[in-house]
mmCIF file of all heavy atoms in Angstrom:
data_model
loop_
_atom_site.group_PDB
_atom_site.id
_atom_site.type_symbol
_atom_site.label_atom_id
_atom_site.label_comp_id
_atom_site.label_asym_id
_atom_site.label_seq_id
_atom_site.Cartn_x
_atom_site.Cartn_y
_atom_site.Cartn_z
ATOM 1 N N TYR T 155 102.971 255.317 219.498
ATOM 2 C CA TYR T 155 103.507 256.298 218.582
ATOM 3 C C TYR T 155 104.813 256.747 219.067
ATOM 4 O O TYR T 155 105.882 256.951 218.337
ATOM 5 C CB TYR T 155 102.536 257.417 218.314
ATOM 6 C CG TYR T 155 103.095 258.537 217.431
ATOM 7 C CD1 TYR T 155 103.255 258.520 216.070
ATOM 8 C CD2 TYR T 155 103.316 259.826 218.041
ATOM 9 C CE1 TYR T 155 103.669 259.496 215.393
ATOM 10 C CE2 TYR T 155 103.917 260.890 217.173
ATOM 11 C CZ TYR T 155 104.096 260.658 215.926
ATOM 12 O OH TYR T 155 104.582 261.595 215.063
ATOM 13 N N GLN T 156 104.949 257.163 220.317
ATOM 14 C CA GLN T 156 106.187 257.710 220.963
ATOM 15 C C GLN T 156 107.291 256.706 220.849
ATOM 16 O O GLN T 156 108.478 256.976 220.694
ATOM 17 C CB GLN T 156 105.856 258.017 222.444
ATOM 18 C CG GLN T 156 104.959 259.230 222.501
ATOM 19 C CD GLN T 156 105.367 260.478 221.751
ATOM 20 O OE1 GLN T 156 106.566 260.812 221.720
ATOM 21 N NE2 GLN T 156 104.389 261.097 221.287
ATOM 22 N N GLY T 157 106.902 255.306 220.951
ATOM 23 C CA GLY T 157 107.853 254.201 220.806
ATOM 24 C C GLY T 157 108.443 254.141 219.448
ATOM 25 O O GLY T 157 109.621 253.869 219.306
ATOM 26 N N ILE T 158 107.803 254.475 218.487
ATOM 27 C CA ILE T 158 108.227 254.695 217.046
ATOM 28 C C ILE T 158 109.096 255.852 216.873
ATOM 29 O O ILE T 158 110.284 255.807 216.481
ATOM 30 C CB ILE T 158 107.077 254.668 216.031
ATOM 31 C CG1 ILE T 158 106.255 253.348 216.106
ATOM 32 C CG2 ILE T 158 107.570 254.886 214.623
ATOM 33 C CD1 ILE T 158 104.918 253.499 215.355
ATOM 34 N N VAL T 159 108.609 256.990 217.368
ATOM 35 C CA VAL T 159 109.386 258.256 217.127
ATOM 36 C C VAL T 159 110.600 258.387 217.925
ATOM 37 O O VAL T 159 111.670 258.768 217.515
ATOM 38 C CB VAL T 159 108.476 259.434 217.395
ATOM 39 C CG1 VAL T 159 109.112 260.818 217.379
ATOM 40 C CG2 VAL T 159 107.217 259.387 216.460
ATOM 41 N N ARG T 160 110.495 257.997 219.150
ATOM 42 C CA ARG T 160 111.621 258.304 220.080
ATOM 43 C C ARG T 160 112.636 257.112 220.226
ATOM 44 O O ARG T 160 113.867 257.298 220.344
ATOM 45 C CB ARG T 160 111.139 258.638 221.596
ATOM 46 C CG ARG T 160 110.263 259.810 221.793
ATOM 47 C CD ARG T 160 109.819 259.913 223.137
ATOM 48 N NE ARG T 160 108.892 261.091 223.302
ATOM 49 C CZ ARG T 160 108.322 261.457 224.337
ATOM 50 N NH1 ARG T 160 108.497 260.663 225.528
ATOM 51 N NH2 ARG T 160 107.562 262.631 224.353
ATOM 52 N N ASN T 161 112.173 255.869 219.958
ATOM 53 C CA ASN T 161 112.977 254.687 220.089
ATOM 54 C C ASN T 161 113.322 253.999 218.838
ATOM 55 O O ASN T 161 114.065 253.098 218.640
ATOM 56 C CB ASN T 161 112.460 253.713 221.131
ATOM 57 C CG ASN T 161 112.176 254.251 222.521
ATOM 58 O OD1 ASN T 161 113.042 255.135 222.973
ATOM 59 N ND2 ASN T 161 111.010 253.865 223.115
ATOM 60 N N SER T 162 112.615 254.369 217.746
ATOM 61 C CA SER T 162 112.757 253.833 216.415
ATOM 62 C C SER T 162 112.380 252.387 216.494
ATOM 63 O O SER T 162 113.290 251.590 215.806
ATOM 64 C CB SER T 162 114.030 254.089 215.805
ATOM 65 O OG SER T 162 114.279 255.560 215.650
ATOM 66 N N LEU T 163 111.476 251.912 217.224
ATOM 67 C CA LEU T 163 111.199 250.514 217.348
ATOM 68 C C LEU T 163 109.715 250.311 216.923
ATOM 69 O O LEU T 163 108.904 250.977 217.190
ATOM 70 C CB LEU T 163 111.335 250.071 218.856
ATOM 71 C CG LEU T 163 112.722 250.071 219.447
ATOM 72 C CD1 LEU T 163 112.608 249.739 220.953
ATOM 73 C CD2 LEU T 163 113.562 249.153 218.660
ATOM 74 N N SER T 164 109.587 249.153 216.231
ATOM 75 C CA SER T 164 108.158 248.765 215.911
ATOM 76 C C SER T 164 107.357 248.516 217.076
ATOM 77 O O SER T 164 107.901 248.102 218.048
ATOM 78 C CB SER T 164 108.243 247.513 214.985
ATOM 79 O OG SER T 164 108.933 247.761 213.899
ATOM 80 N N GLN T 165 105.990 248.894 216.947
ATOM 81 C CA GLN T 165 105.102 248.760 218.157
ATOM 82 C C GLN T 165 103.976 247.881 217.573
ATOM 83 O O GLN T 165 103.608 247.830 216.466
ATOM 84 C CB GLN T 165 104.673 250.084 218.482
ATOM 85 C CG GLN T 165 105.759 251.096 218.980
ATOM 86 C CD GLN T 165 106.528 250.734 220.215
ATOM 87 O OE1 GLN T 165 105.779 250.521 221.243
ATOM 88 N NE2 GLN T 165 107.887 250.571 220.194
ATOM 89 N N THR T 166 103.311 247.182 218.660
ATOM 90 C CA THR T 166 102.044 246.493 218.323
ATOM 91 C C THR T 166 100.997 246.867 219.325
ATOM 92 O O THR T 166 101.260 246.898 220.530
ATOM 93 C CB THR T 166 102.277 245.025 218.568
ATOM 94 O OG1 THR T 166 103.304 244.698 217.564
ATOM 95 C CG2 THR T 166 100.963 244.106 218.256
ATOM 96 N N VAL T 167 99.771 247.120 218.879
ATOM 97 C CA VAL T 167 98.639 247.495 219.716
ATOM 98 C C VAL T 167 97.608 246.288 219.372
ATOM 99 O O VAL T 167 97.147 246.118 218.306
ATOM 100 C CB VAL T 167 97.824 248.729 219.401
ATOM 101 C CG1 VAL T 167 96.644 248.873 220.260
ATOM 102 C CG2 VAL T 167 98.835 249.853 219.480
ATOM 103 N N LEU T 168 97.420 245.390 220.396
ATOM 104 C CA LEU T 168 96.478 244.298 220.383
ATOM 105 C C LEU T 168 95.157 244.569 220.812
ATOM 106 O O LEU T 168 95.020 244.970 222.041
ATOM 107 C CB LEU T 168 97.166 243.110 221.116
ATOM 108 C CG LEU T 168 96.207 241.777 221.117
ATOM 109 C CD1 LEU T 168 96.068 241.211 219.784
ATOM 110 C CD2 LEU T 168 97.019 240.730 222.151
ATOM 111 N N VAL T 169 94.062 244.472 220.147
ATOM 112 C CA VAL T 169 92.826 244.705 220.481
ATOM 113 C C VAL T 169 91.971 243.483 220.427
ATOM 114 O O VAL T 169 91.851 242.722 219.422
ATOM 115 C CB VAL T 169 92.091 245.817 219.495
ATOM 116 C CG1 VAL T 169 90.734 246.040 219.959
ATOM 117 C CG2 VAL T 169 92.843 247.043 219.367
ATOM 118 N N SER T 170 91.439 243.027 221.577
ATOM 119 C CA SER T 170 90.815 241.716 221.728
ATOM 120 C C SER T 170 89.485 241.970 222.578
ATOM 121 O O SER T 170 89.341 242.824 223.295
ATOM 122 C CB SER T 170 91.719 240.685 222.257
ATOM 123 O OG SER T 170 92.029 241.021 223.694
ATOM 124 N N GLY T 171 88.557 241.010 222.436
ATOM 125 C CA GLY T 171 87.396 240.994 223.199
ATOM 126 C C GLY T 171 86.324 240.161 222.571
ATOM 127 O O GLY T 171 86.443 239.723 221.465
ATOM 128 N N GLU T 172 85.142 240.026 223.216
ATOM 129 C CA GLU T 172 84.107 239.217 222.656
ATOM 130 C C GLU T 172 83.298 240.031 221.575
ATOM 131 O O GLU T 172 83.499 241.218 221.489
ATOM 132 C CB GLU T 172 83.225 238.812 223.835
ATOM 133 C CG GLU T 172 82.438 239.909 224.519
ATOM 134 C CD GLU T 172 81.536 239.401 225.706
ATOM 135 O OE1 GLU T 172 81.521 238.276 225.858
ATOM 136 O OE2 GLU T 172 80.864 240.226 226.230
ATOM 137 N N SER T 173 82.306 239.293 220.907
ATOM 138 C CA SER T 173 81.505 239.987 219.898
ATOM 139 C C SER T 173 80.699 241.008 220.523
ATOM 140 O O SER T 173 80.161 240.979 221.439
ATOM 141 C CB SER T 173 80.669 238.890 219.280
ATOM 142 O OG SER T 173 79.841 239.478 218.307
ATOM 143 N N GLY T 174 80.861 242.223 219.839
ATOM 144 C CA GLY T 174 80.145 243.335 220.220
ATOM 145 C C GLY T 174 80.711 244.186 221.236
ATOM 146 O O GLY T 174 80.103 245.237 221.744
ATOM 147 N N ALA T 175 81.944 243.784 221.648
ATOM 148 C CA ALA T 175 82.609 244.549 222.677
ATOM 149 C C ALA T 175 83.129 245.899 222.325
ATOM 150 O O ALA T 175 83.326 246.813 223.028
ATOM 151 C CB ALA T 175 83.819 243.714 223.245
ATOM 152 N N GLY T 176 83.374 246.206 220.867
ATOM 153 C CA GLY T 176 83.798 247.373 220.364
ATOM 154 C C GLY T 176 85.279 247.269 219.843
ATOM 155 O O GLY T 176 85.941 248.332 219.759
ATOM 156 N N LYS T 177 85.740 246.120 219.264
ATOM 157 C CA LYS T 177 86.992 246.005 218.919
ATOM 158 C C LYS T 177 87.313 246.828 217.561
ATOM 159 O O LYS T 177 88.266 247.468 217.485
ATOM 160 C CB LYS T 177 87.286 244.518 218.560
ATOM 161 C CG LYS T 177 87.289 243.601 219.716
ATOM 162 C CD LYS T 177 87.648 242.133 219.470
ATOM 163 C CE LYS T 177 86.565 241.549 218.517
ATOM 164 N NZ LYS T 177 85.284 241.466 218.975
ATOM 165 N N THR T 178 86.232 246.741 216.626
ATOM 166 C CA THR T 178 86.285 247.533 215.417
ATOM 167 C C THR T 178 86.367 249.065 215.798
ATOM 168 O O THR T 178 87.287 249.794 215.157
ATOM 169 C CB THR T 178 85.320 247.216 214.487
ATOM 170 O OG1 THR T 178 85.310 245.771 214.187
ATOM 171 C CG2 THR T 178 85.517 247.996 213.159
ATOM 172 N N GLU T 179 85.558 249.414 216.618
ATOM 173 C CA GLU T 179 85.535 250.929 216.938
ATOM 174 C C GLU T 179 86.868 251.349 217.632
ATOM 175 O O GLU T 179 87.535 252.417 217.286
ATOM 176 C CB GLU T 179 84.358 251.228 217.789
ATOM 177 C CG GLU T 179 82.975 251.202 217.262
ATOM 178 C CD GLU T 179 82.862 252.378 216.103
ATOM 179 O OE1 GLU T 179 83.151 253.541 216.358
ATOM 180 O OE2 GLU T 179 82.599 251.932 214.926
ATOM 181 N N THR T 180 87.371 250.588 218.409
ATOM 182 C CA THR T 180 88.672 250.764 219.265
ATOM 183 C C THR T 180 89.797 250.979 218.117
ATOM 184 O O THR T 180 90.602 251.929 218.160
ATOM 185 C CB THR T 180 88.897 249.694 220.252
ATOM 186 O OG1 THR T 180 87.988 249.783 221.256
ATOM 187 C CG2 THR T 180 90.255 250.057 220.881
ATOM 188 N N THR T 181 89.824 249.969 217.111
ATOM 189 C CA THR T 181 90.841 249.911 216.160
ATOM 190 C C THR T 181 90.806 251.143 215.440
ATOM 191 O O THR T 181 91.828 251.662 215.018
ATOM 192 C CB THR T 181 90.644 248.695 215.189
ATOM 193 O OG1 THR T 181 90.751 247.429 216.036
ATOM 194 C CG2 THR T 181 91.672 248.680 214.132
ATOM 195 N N LYS T 182 89.610 251.666 215.037
ATOM 196 C CA LYS T 182 89.501 252.935 214.268
ATOM 197 C C LYS T 182 90.037 253.989 214.972
ATOM 198 O O LYS T 182 90.562 254.943 214.336
ATOM 199 C CB LYS T 182 87.994 253.092 213.879
ATOM 200 C CG LYS T 182 87.417 252.068 212.904
ATOM 201 C CD LYS T 182 85.914 252.033 212.892
ATOM 202 C CE LYS T 182 85.140 253.292 212.599
ATOM 203 N NZ LYS T 182 83.723 253.073 212.666
ATOM 204 N N PHE T 183 89.847 254.088 216.293
ATOM 205 C CA PHE T 183 90.300 255.328 217.062
ATOM 206 C C PHE T 183 91.891 255.220 217.089
ATOM 207 O O PHE T 183 92.602 256.302 217.236
ATOM 208 C CB PHE T 183 89.740 255.369 218.430
ATOM 209 C CG PHE T 183 88.272 255.730 218.492
ATOM 210 C CD1 PHE T 183 87.376 254.839 218.972
ATOM 211 C CD2 PHE T 183 87.940 256.928 217.873
ATOM 212 C CE1 PHE T 183 86.026 255.267 218.985
ATOM 213 C CE2 PHE T 183 86.601 257.179 217.885
ATOM 214 C CZ PHE T 183 85.625 256.508 218.365
ATOM 215 N N VAL T 184 92.457 254.035 217.223
ATOM 216 C CA VAL T 184 93.872 253.868 217.121
ATOM 217 C C VAL T 184 94.452 254.276 215.922
ATOM 218 O O VAL T 184 95.444 255.232 215.796
ATOM 219 C CB VAL T 184 94.333 252.440 217.509
ATOM 220 C CG1 VAL T 184 95.916 252.180 217.146
ATOM 221 C CG2 VAL T 184 93.908 251.936 218.814
ATOM 222 N N MET T 185 93.885 253.892 214.801
ATOM 223 C CA MET T 185 94.225 254.352 213.458
ATOM 224 C C MET T 185 94.167 255.927 213.265
ATOM 225 O O MET T 185 94.960 256.552 212.709
ATOM 226 C CB MET T 185 93.483 253.620 212.464
ATOM 227 C CG MET T 185 93.746 252.153 212.327
ATOM 228 S SD MET T 185 92.691 251.275 211.255
ATOM 229 C CE MET T 185 93.026 252.101 209.656
ATOM 230 N N GLN T 186 93.100 256.460 213.769
ATOM 231 C CA GLN T 186 92.756 257.769 213.705
ATOM 232 C C GLN T 186 93.905 258.644 214.481
ATOM 233 O O GLN T 186 94.480 259.637 213.895
ATOM 234 C CB GLN T 186 91.470 258.267 214.332
ATOM 235 C CG GLN T 186 91.148 259.640 214.417
ATOM 236 C CD GLN T 186 89.855 260.005 215.237
ATOM 237 O OE1 GLN T 186 89.238 259.175 215.661
ATOM 238 N NE2 GLN T 186 89.526 261.408 215.176
ATOM 239 N N PHE T 187 94.278 258.252 215.675
ATOM 240 C CA PHE T 187 95.314 258.860 216.381
ATOM 241 C C PHE T 187 96.643 258.783 215.643
ATOM 242 O O PHE T 187 97.442 259.788 215.580
ATOM 243 C CB PHE T 187 95.474 258.311 217.823
ATOM 244 C CG PHE T 187 96.373 258.966 218.610
ATOM 245 C CD1 PHE T 187 96.001 259.981 219.569
ATOM 246 C CD2 PHE T 187 97.817 258.740 218.585
ATOM 247 C CE1 PHE T 187 96.934 260.656 220.412
ATOM 248 C CE2 PHE T 187 98.701 259.409 219.397
ATOM 249 C CZ PHE T 187 98.300 260.394 220.209
ATOM 250 N N LEU T 188 96.962 257.594 215.196
ATOM 251 C CA LEU T 188 98.332 257.455 214.546
ATOM 252 C C LEU T 188 98.297 258.217 213.305
ATOM 253 O O LEU T 188 99.519 258.729 212.826
ATOM 254 C CB LEU T 188 98.548 255.861 214.276
ATOM 255 C CG LEU T 188 98.646 255.089 215.557
ATOM 256 C CD1 LEU T 188 98.965 253.554 215.088
ATOM 257 C CD2 LEU T 188 99.946 255.554 216.540
ATOM 258 N N ALA T 189 97.269 258.274 212.502
ATOM 259 C CA ALA T 189 97.230 259.016 211.391
ATOM 260 C C ALA T 189 97.430 260.619 211.518
ATOM 261 O O ALA T 189 98.023 261.307 210.704
ATOM 262 C CB ALA T 189 95.961 258.871 210.547
ATOM 263 N N LEU T 190 96.937 261.138 212.690
ATOM 264 C CA LEU T 190 96.925 262.530 213.047
ATOM 265 C C LEU T 190 98.046 262.950 213.883
ATOM 266 O O LEU T 190 98.517 264.147 213.806
ATOM 267 C CB LEU T 190 95.587 262.935 213.644
ATOM 268 C CG LEU T 190 94.425 262.817 212.726
ATOM 269 C CD1 LEU T 190 93.047 263.148 213.482
ATOM 270 C CD2 LEU T 190 94.399 263.586 211.476
ATOM 271 N N ALA T 191 98.585 262.034 214.554
ATOM 272 C CA ALA T 191 99.637 262.363 215.683
ATOM 273 C C ALA T 191 100.908 263.092 214.909
ATOM 274 O O ALA T 191 101.408 263.966 215.473
ATOM 275 C CB ALA T 191 100.081 261.221 216.431
ATOM 276 N N GLY T 192 101.225 262.417 213.907
ATOM 277 C CA GLY T 192 102.479 263.050 213.221
ATOM 278 C C GLY T 192 102.198 264.147 212.173
ATOM 279 O O GLY T 192 103.088 264.673 211.682
ATOM 280 N N ALA T 193 100.910 264.343 211.906
ATOM 281 C CA ALA T 193 100.543 265.406 211.001
ATOM 282 C C ALA T 193 100.817 266.755 211.585
ATOM 283 O O ALA T 193 100.678 267.007 212.721
ATOM 284 C CB ALA T 193 99.126 265.248 210.531
ATOM 285 N N GLU T 194 101.252 267.662 210.775
ATOM 286 C CA GLU T 194 101.609 269.050 211.248
ATOM 287 C C GLU T 194 100.400 270.000 211.280
ATOM 288 O O GLU T 194 100.389 271.235 211.351
ATOM 289 C CB GLU T 194 102.683 269.708 210.282
ATOM 290 C CG GLU T 194 104.018 268.949 210.518
ATOM 291 C CD GLU T 194 105.055 269.578 209.631
ATOM 292 O OE1 GLU T 194 104.753 269.761 208.451
ATOM 293 O OE2 GLU T 194 106.262 269.663 210.121
ATOM 294 N N VAL T 195 99.182 269.341 211.101
ATOM 295 C CA VAL T 195 97.980 270.277 210.967
ATOM 296 C C VAL T 195 97.764 270.901 212.299
ATOM 297 O O VAL T 195 97.130 271.924 212.432
ATOM 298 C CB VAL T 195 96.739 269.413 210.668
ATOM 299 C CG1 VAL T 195 96.784 268.871 209.191
ATOM 300 C CG2 VAL T 195 96.539 268.180 211.567
ATOM 301 N N PHE T 196 98.303 270.293 213.360
ATOM 302 C CA PHE T 196 98.269 270.741 214.745
ATOM 303 C C PHE T 196 98.956 272.018 214.977
ATOM 304 O O PHE T 196 98.837 272.766 215.995
ATOM 305 C CB PHE T 196 98.472 269.846 215.869
ATOM 306 C CG PHE T 196 97.568 268.555 215.823
ATOM 307 C CD1 PHE T 196 97.999 267.301 216.087
ATOM 308 C CD2 PHE T 196 96.270 268.826 215.462
ATOM 309 C CE1 PHE T 196 97.147 266.339 216.193
ATOM 310 C CE2 PHE T 196 95.261 267.736 215.451
ATOM 311 C CZ PHE T 196 95.875 266.533 215.848
ATOM 312 N N SER T 197 100.101 272.309 214.151
ATOM 313 C CA SER T 197 100.988 273.420 214.421
ATOM 314 C C SER T 197 100.960 274.510 213.321
ATOM 315 O O SER T 197 100.807 275.562 213.733
ATOM 316 C CB SER T 197 102.381 272.856 214.553
ATOM 317 O OG SER T 197 102.716 272.126 213.196
ATOM 318 N N ASP T 198 100.961 274.178 212.009
ATOM 319 C CA ASP T 198 101.054 275.277 211.078
ATOM 320 C C ASP T 198 99.909 275.074 209.975
ATOM 321 O O ASP T 198 100.056 275.759 208.971
ATOM 322 C CB ASP T 198 102.389 275.185 210.465
ATOM 323 C CG ASP T 198 102.755 273.927 209.826
ATOM 324 O OD1 ASP T 198 101.842 273.074 209.655
ATOM 325 O OD2 ASP T 198 103.919 273.777 209.356
ATOM 326 N N GLY T 199 99.078 274.217 210.242
ATOM 327 C CA GLY T 199 97.905 274.181 209.153
ATOM 328 C C GLY T 199 98.190 273.414 207.997
ATOM 329 O O GLY T 199 97.509 273.390 207.077
#
Side-chain angles (χ1 to χ4, degrees):
Y155 176 72
Q156 296 304 322
I158 295 171
V159 173
R160 297 177 181 177
N161 303 323
S162 299
L163 295 175
S164 297
Q165 305 289 311
T166 299
V167 178
L168 176 63
V169 182
S170 65
E172 63 180 4
S173 177
K177 298 184 296 297
T178 299
E179 286 298 308
T180 297
T181 301
K182 286 160 59 175
F183 288 125
V184 172
M185 293 172 62
Q186 177 186 359
F187 184 94
L188 293 177
L190 295 175
E194 295 179 314
V195 291
F196 293 148
S197 56
D198 60 8

